[in-house]
Amino acid sequence: MAALSPVKVYGPAMSTAVSRVLATLIEKDIQFQLVPLNMSKGEHKKPDFLKIQPFGQVPAFQDEDISLFESRAICRYVCEKHVDKGNKGLYGTNPLAKASIDQWLEAEGQTFSPPSSTLVFQLAFAPRMKIKQDEGLITLNHEKLAKVLDVYDKRLGETRFLAGDEFSLADLSHLPNTQYLLGTETGELFTSGARKNVSRWWNEISARDSWKKVVELQRGA
């Protein structure tokens, strides 16, 4: 029987959405091939890529003859397909656990991601791209993110992780944006004593081997 080809993840490891998928694959002990795209040259807008990602964004994902896009959907697919591999509880082991993980994934996507993504671009990427930063936008989203993290801090005073007492996809999904923000002025929202539960949570989830491997991939990019 021929060995199955590793799944393919298209996009740069530096991308927050790509790194979310990579961390999930590593947690689940799934072999993968990272296919880099030179986005500055528009490789993500070429016809061949648009066949698997019609919006011309990253990541795109291929598993044999299956193509998927949107990082959170890819992560759920990987967890559901490979239930018995790697971290078996990453996406829960019963309906209630899955529902709890899903609600915090929704919170991440709808409430945490908008301000944090804006800040990642303004504080981490704009300087590298020699784009002028919008100080008003930075201040506004810093305040929005602070309010979100106040809610998180209360929750994390009740449970070890967001969806309960086990690390899950809900926690993992926060790693990419937060990693970038830690090196900026917004990092203090996660590390100051004002939110000791958020600080404890971040230190624990960012120390996982899976995320350390993703950071190594980013540094080698």
Side-chain angles (χ1 to χ4, degrees):
M1 182 176 177
L4 294 176
S5 301
V7 300
K8 293 181 180 180
V9 182
Y10 294 80
M14 297 296 289
S15 157
T16 55
V18 170
S19 63
R20 179 178 292 112
V21 173
L22 298 181
T24 300
L25 289 166
I26 295 169
E27 281 280 344
K28 295 299 292 180
D29 197 23
I30 305 300
Q31 285 192 320
F32 62 87
Q33 177 186 353
L34 181 60
V35 183
L37 293 174
N38 189 327
M39 299 180 73
S40 66
K41 293 185 177 179
E43 290 182 356
H44 57 305
K45 300 296 184 182
K46 292 186 176 180
D48 284 348
F49 184 72
L50 291 174
K51 289 177 183 177
I52 57 175
Q53 218 301 6
F55 295 103
Q57 299 172 342
V58 294
F61 176 87
Q62 285 188 312
D63 183 4
E64 298 292 328
D65 58 348
I66 294 170
S67 296
L68 293 171
F69 59 92
E70 294 298 339
S71 63
R72 295 170 189 82
I74 295 167
C75 292
R76 287 184 174 103
Y77 166 80
V78 168
C79 290
E80 293 279 25
K81 179 176 179 180
H82 302 287
V83 173
D84 295 326
K85 289 188 177 181
N87 183 343
K88 297 178 177 62
L90 190 62
Y91 190 37
T93 55
N94 60 67
L96 180 57
K98 278 185 166 57
S100 184
I101 292 167
D102 275 333
Q103 74 178 358
W104 285 101
L105 275 172
E106 286 296 316
E108 183 269 326
Q110 301 294 328
T111 310
F112 176 89
S113 184
S116 64
S117 293
T118 298
L119 290 165
V120 167
F121 178 78
Q122 289 291 329
L123 298 174
F125 286 105
R128 301 180 193 184
M129 299 166 70
K130 303 191 185 317
I131 295 173
K132 185 178 179 181
Q133 294 170 303
D134 186 327
E135 294 299 333
L137 203 57
I138 291 170
T139 298
L140 175 64
N141 284 279
H142 184 95
E143 292 171 354
K144 286 182 178 180
L145 184 58
K147 291 177 180 177
V148 173
L149 292 177
D150 285 341
V151 175
Y152 279 36
D153 199 63
K154 182 179 179 182
R155 169 62 175 176
L156 292 164
E158 300 164 353
T159 56
R160 182 177 173 188
F161 298 102
L162 287 173
D165 289 324
E166 299 294 333
F167 175 83
S168 75
L169 205 52
D171 306 291
L172 180 151
S173 200
H174 290 78
L175 284 162
N177 279 5
T178 308
Q179 181 73 35
Y180 278 112
L181 293 179
L182 260 290
T184 73
E185 62 203 57
T186 295
E188 56 88 18
L189 294 180
F190 297 88
T191 58
S192 73
R195 298 180 186 83
K196 63 180 181 179
N197 298 314
V198 167
S199 180
R200 183 266 309 159
W201 168 73
W202 169 253
N203 287 335
E204 187 164 2
I205 67 174
S206 61
R208 293 185 71 83
D209 287 342
S210 59
W211 187 244
K212 289 180 179 179
K213 290 175 182 176
V214 171
V215 172
E216 287 175 8
L217 285 171
Q218 291 176 333
R219 288 173 177 165

